[in-house]
Amino acid sequence: MAVYKIFPEKDATLYSAYPTTNTGLDQILEIQNTTASLGEVTDVSRFLIKFPTSTIQSVITEAGGPGNYNAFLKFYVANATDLPDDYTLLTYPVSESWDAGTGRFLYNPPVTSDVTWVQRTNLANWRTSSFVPNTTASFNPSNPGGATWYILYENSQSFEINSTKDTNIPVTDIVGNFNNGQLPNNGFIVKMDPTYEFNNSSSFSLKFFSKDTHTIYPPQLEIKWNDSSYVTGSLTVLSNGNIAVTVGNNIGEYDRDTKYQFRVNARPIYPTRQFVTQSVYTLNSALPSSSYYAIQDVDTGEYVVDFDNSYTKVSCDSNGNYFDLYMNGLQPERYYKILIKSSFQNDTTVVYDNNYTFKINK
């Protein structure tokens, strides 16, 4: 299985309260709804984000083309205040081009060039009437702007009071149309659903880390696909969890933008006595087909790539088990740990954490 993380080339928040302010270099992307007092006009924000077309196309080719992958928008929460108990975030493909700019929220004086609530470039405002077919916008009539988008491609993710606020919004259809040219890649707009956006009885703020964050949580377009193969050849498939699992070819340091195949060795801790010409402790066996890998940040303990029954399955060939890892989605100068999880015939599941760590170079 494969997980490829694409990082954005630009992003910006559009604030109706600051309609001429650019935030193209801000460290935060924000969705908010603010009302000074009950019944007054509400100010909102929503944000834009764009990922490079060439990278999207090359990854989809790597995945085997249309129909072989799924794509998700991932944003990581920096702060949230007064959110509704239940809400939905919506995303659409942006229908007009825009320039990111070099401003930050509440710069003094503010940067007013490039994309803002009112304008998309220094030479053009967002369309607020006479929309191109299948596109639309939403704004308060006294303060028009806030981008335009294609209405036929709505994707969403709903949240409940106790759910994590990090996102995993499915956008496979939009990404597919960026790839084949049916839609121009002007990026995505992410906004609150109409139940709460412009609701003058609700005030809240939901902040995510932007591409310019100095943390390990930048936004990502995550593309996943099944690249697994399970052919054991003459290997014995292990049937219980009393086994030793090692990663034999971990060289410890890897460059970004590379793909590496980790070989996973497995054998019984207490092998059956047999007459062979080599030590039974050097004979490799096969993990069961229901085996998966995960990648964990050593310092934070967070899963950068979590166990996934659909996308992180461990492969097998006649020499043993393996999986391919794309290093581009990992942050440089950080250490990561490899974990292996296997489910056995007796309905037991074991996670093997033998402290196999590695580092990503700059």
Side-chain angles (χ1 to χ4, degrees):
M1 303 291 178
V3 178
Y4 197 105
K5 298 174 184 289
I6 303 174
F7 296 102
E9 63 181 48
K10 61 181 179 180
D11 56 24
T13 302
L14 312 181
Y15 290 93
S16 68
Y18 307 94
T20 61
T21 295
N22 173 265
T23 64
L25 288 184
D26 202 85
Q27 298 177 29
I28 292 294
L29 299 171
E30 184 171 14
I31 293 175
Q32 69 170 195
N33 201 74
T34 58
T35 303
S37 60
L38 187 65
E40 289 193 0
V41 173
T42 300
D43 284 305
V44 307
S45 70
R46 68 242 330 208
F47 62 82
L48 310 178
I49 189 164
K50 183 178 184 292
F51 299 86
T53 304
S54 59
T55 307
I56 291 174
Q57 291 174 333
S58 65
V59 174
I60 290 177
T61 299
E62 177 85 1
N68 292 319
Y69 67 92
N70 285 303
F72 304 88
L73 275 180
K74 301 185 76 71
F75 301 102
Y76 299 93
V77 169
N79 190 38
T81 56
D82 299 322
L83 286 175
D85 289 348
D86 304 291
Y87 64 92
T88 299
L89 295 182
L90 305 177
T91 185
Y92 303 87
V94 179
S95 59
E96 297 178 274
S97 62
W98 50 282
D99 294 334
T102 58
R104 293 188 179 183
F105 184 61
L106 296 185
Y107 255 0
N108 189 17
V111 174
T112 58
S113 57
D114 301 306
V115 70
T116 68
W117 180 267
V118 172
Q119 69 183 33
R120 56 188 182 87
T121 70
N122 290 333
L123 301 177
N125 289 348
W126 293 109
R127 189 183 293 269
T128 56
S129 62
S130 303
F131 295 107
V132 174
N134 298 319
T135 69
T136 192
S138 66
F139 48 80
N140 189 298
S142 64
N143 191 11
T148 62
W149 54 89
Y150 292 97
I151 59 177
L152 298 181
Y153 303 94
E154 177 185 286
N155 294 113
S156 65
Q157 183 177 357
S158 296
F159 300 84
E160 298 177 351
I161 187 170
N162 292 321
S163 63
T164 178
K165 307 310 177 189
D166 296 339
T167 75
N168 192 44
I169 307 172
V171 290
T172 305
D173 58 339
I174 297 176
V175 169
N177 281 286
F178 288 164
N179 175 60
N180 62 26
Q182 293 298 308
L183 287 175
N185 181 10
N186 297 315
F188 302 86
I189 183 169
V190 182
K191 60 190 291 292
M192 183 62 76
D193 73 84
T195 303
Y196 296 106
E197 192 179 52
F198 292 110
N199 185 331
N200 59 16
S201 62
S202 177
S203 292
F204 57 83
S205 172
L206 179 57
K207 296 179 179 180
F208 298 101
F209 293 106
S210 79
K211 76 174 185 64
D212 295 295
T213 180
H214 297 300
T215 72
I216 61 172
Y217 305 108
Q220 302 158 18
L221 174 62
E222 196 171 73
I223 298 181
K224 303 179 177 183
W225 67 94
N226 180 356
D227 68 346
S228 68
S229 173
Y230 190 80
V231 180
T232 60
S234 61
L235 297 177
T236 299
V237 179
L238 297 164
S239 59
N240 66 71
N242 295 321
I243 62 176
V245 175
T246 61
V247 180
N249 65 335
N250 178 20
I251 60 177
E253 294 189 9
Y254 303 92
D255 294 330
R256 296 192 77 187
D257 299 323
T258 60
K259 181 175 74 170
Y260 190 77
Q261 185 174 100
F262 289 96
R263 303 296 307 194
V264 181
N265 304 317
R267 63 168 179 81
I269 294 178
Y270 308 106
T272 303
R273 181 178 297 177
Q274 53 185 303
F275 294 99
V276 292
T277 58
Q278 66 185 91
S279 170
V280 292
Y281 294 101
T282 64
L283 294 175
N284 204 12
S285 299
L287 292 170
S289 59
S290 53
S291 296
Y292 311 91
Y293 72 89
I295 306 298
Q296 187 180 47
D297 187 289
V298 171
D299 289 332
T300 67
E302 296 181 72
Y303 286 96
V304 180
V305 177
D306 205 349
F307 294 115
D308 191 305
N309 291 354
S310 298
Y311 301 113
T312 67
K313 195 170 185 179
V314 174
S315 295
C316 187
D317 59 22
S318 59
N319 295 314
N321 295 101
Y322 65 92
F323 65 91
D324 294 331
L325 184 64
Y326 292 88
M327 301 299 178
N328 74 297
L330 306 179
Q331 296 294 319
E333 300 303 308
R334 295 192 69 84
Y335 288 86
Y336 298 93
K337 182 191 294 186
I338 300 169
L339 298 95
I340 302 295
K341 181 176 74 172
S342 293
S343 297
F344 297 91
Q345 294 176 357
N346 58 358
D347 294 328
T348 61
T349 298
V350 182
V351 175
Y352 300 95
D353 178 1
N354 295 320
N355 205 34
Y356 286 103
T357 62
F358 62 91
K359 175 188 175 184
I360 301 299
N361 296 322
K362 285 186 177 179

